[in-house]
């Protein structure tokens, strides 16, 4: 059940992130084309591309963590101490989830303050821009807990890559 939930969540995030990248490409190409050919532009294309880029970055960060392809600094040799490595990973997941839960919980009132202000070009509530940070942190907590359960069960082997 957890695997199916994780797969569904990550697939949805992946589809949205790819859709945003396609949207950004279209908006920027259209903007350049309009400026070059017609000496004109659509004033809100830049703002929509910028907001889409921010959303894509935060969603891609979730995917990088879920795929274990993010950068990490390791102090111990995981091959020499696999049991210690597993417990340190579990402790790290719990610590990260705790910090993210506190950030999500404490930033919620601030997020609600952004219901009224609107963006300059699109006129969208700024919650659409700032909400991605809050929403991605909440999604990170879900992914962290799923990774924690996977690692606790021992069903996931964390591959360590030596980049030297």
């Amino acid at each position: 059940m957890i695997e199916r939930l994780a797969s569904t969540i990550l697939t949805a995030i992946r589809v949205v992130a790819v859709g945003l990248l396609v949207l950004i490409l279209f908006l920027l190409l259209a903007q350049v084309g309009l400026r070059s050919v017609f000496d004109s532009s659509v004033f809100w294309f830049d703002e929509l591309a910028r907001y889409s880029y921010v959303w894509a970055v935060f969603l891609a960060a979730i995917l990088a963590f879920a795929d274990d392809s993010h950068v990490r600094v390791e102090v111990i040799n995981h091959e020499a101490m696999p049991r210690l490595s597993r417990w340190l990973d579990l402790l790290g997941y719990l610590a990260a989830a705790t910090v993210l839960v506190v950030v999500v919980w404490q930033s919620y009132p601030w997020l609600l303050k952004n219901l009224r202000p609107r963006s300059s070009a699109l006129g969208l509530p700024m919650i659409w821009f700032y909400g991605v940070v809050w929403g991605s942190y909440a999604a990170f907590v879900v992914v962290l807990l799923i990774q924690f359960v996977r690692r606790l069960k021992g069903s996931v082997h964390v591959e360590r890559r030596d980049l030297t």
Side-chain angles (χ1 to χ4, degrees), residues 44-114:
W44 52 269
F45 274 19
D46 290 333
E47 187 172 292
L48 182 58
R50 188 176 329 118
Y51 290 169
S52 298
Y53 182 73
V54 171
W55 272 77
V57 166
F58 276 94
L59 294 176
I62 295 168
L63 295 172
F65 179 79
D67 293 340
D68 200 33
S69 59
H70 60 291
V71 176
R72 68 168 73 206
V73 177
E74 297 177 345
V75 181
I76 65 167
N77 184 342
H78 292 277
E79 284 77 28
M81 300 181 199
R83 182 173 282 176
L84 178 62
S85 170
R86 179 174 176 233
W87 287 107
L88 286 175
D89 283 347
L90 291 172
L91 182 65
Y93 290 152
L94 283 179
T98 302
V99 168
L100 289 172
V101 164
V102 169
V103 168
V104 166
W105 176 47
Q106 292 295 319
S107 65
Y108 187 70
W110 172 82
L111 182 68
L112 292 179
K113 289 180 183 178
N114 286 295

Side-chain angles (χ1 to χ4, degrees), residues 2 5-6 9-10 13 61-68 70 72 88-102 104 136-152 156:
I2 288 178
L5 174 66
I9 290 170
L10 294 175
I13 291 171
I62 295 168
L63 295 172
F65 179 79
D67 293 340
D68 200 33
H70 60 291
R72 68 168 73 206
L88 286 175
D89 283 347
L90 291 172
L91 182 65
Y93 290 152
L94 283 179
T98 302
V99 168
L100 289 172
V101 164
V102 169
V104 166
S136 67
Y137 282 10
F140 256 118
V141 171
V142 172
V143 172
L144 271 165
L145 294 176
I146 291 170
Q147 295 284 57
F148 178 81
V149 170
R150 284 177 171 171
R151 191 79 168 114
L152 189 62
V156 172

Side-chain angles (χ1 to χ4, degrees), residues 5-32:
L5 174 66
S7 176
T8 302
I9 290 170
L10 294 175
T11 299
I13 291 171
R14 193 170 280 116
V15 166
V16 171
V18 168
L20 288 170
L21 292 175
V22 169
L23 176 66
I24 292 166
L25 179 66
F26 167 76
L27 289 170
L28 295 179
L29 287 175
Q31 191 73 314
V32 168

Side-chain angles (χ1 to χ4, degrees), residues 122-134:
L122 292 170
L124 290 174
M126 289 305 289
I127 197 167
W128 282 98
F129 182 63
Y130 296 125
V132 68
V133 178
W134 191 85

